[in-house]
Amino acid sequence: CIRDSLYECVLCACCSTSCPSYWWHPDRYLGPAVLMQAYRWIVDSRDEYREERLEKVAEDIKLFDCQNIGMCSVTCPKGLDPRAALQNLMELVREHNEKKILDEVI
């Protein structure tokens, strides 16, 4: 399960240094290492700030500049899958944004 492996990340940043999106926009794109840690907190059932975290990673291109190239997962020395974590995070942000729009309409 991807959630179980999130705690194994040692923050070596191999994933970020191999990420073309991070090379192109290091000033705006947070990169796989940071976003995978954000995902770790967002999916933690004990986290009381899920909505705030989803809002924060959805701003600008902090998350959505990921091109799903997958070099982050290939280069992880721990064998983790940051690409899958980012895809899951993107889906959570989309659902959060859709819910927010529906709440505003109703």
Side-chain angles (χ1 to χ4, degrees), residues 1-2 5 15 20 30 42-43 65 74-75 78-79 83 86 88:
C1 177
I2 191 166
S5 67
C15 57
L30 295 175
I42 288 168
V43 297
D65 197 46
V74 172
T75 59
K78 300 284 284 178
R83 180 179 177 218
L86 269 58
N88 291 343

Side-chain angles (χ1 to χ4, degrees), residues 14-27 29 65 71:
C14 287
C15 57
S16 291
T17 58
S18 69
C19 175
S21 294
Y22 190 66
W23 302 339
W24 298 323
H25 305 290
D27 56 329
Y29 178 57
D65 197 46
M71 288 306 298

Side-chain angles (χ1 to χ4, degrees), residues 47-104:
D47 182 32
E48 298 177 6
Y49 299 100
R50 175 186 170 111
E51 301 303 313
E52 291 88 340
R53 292 183 204 285
L54 286 169
E55 288 285 331
K56 206 66 173 161
V57 297
E59 291 175 358
D60 302 324
I61 61 168
K62 291 179 182 171
L63 172 63
F64 288 101
D65 197 46
C66 174
Q67 301 299 309
N68 289 304
I69 295 168
M71 288 306 298
C72 54
S73 296
V74 172
T75 59
C76 179
K78 300 284 284 178
L80 306 180
D81 194 355
R83 180 179 177 218
L86 269 58
Q87 288 175 329
N88 291 343
L89 181 56
M90 285 181 199
E91 185 59 32
L92 289 174
V93 168
R94 281 187 197 100
E95 289 170 4
H96 170 75
N97 288 342
E98 288 172 6
K99 181 182 177 292
K100 197 167 91 174
I101 290 169
L102 286 174
D103 289 347
E104 288 175 7

Side-chain angles (χ1 to χ4, degrees), residues 26-41:
D27 56 329
R28 298 180 298 174
Y29 178 57
L30 295 175
V34 171
L35 290 168
M36 191 164 79
Q37 289 306 304
Y39 177 66
R40 170 189 165 193
W41 288 104

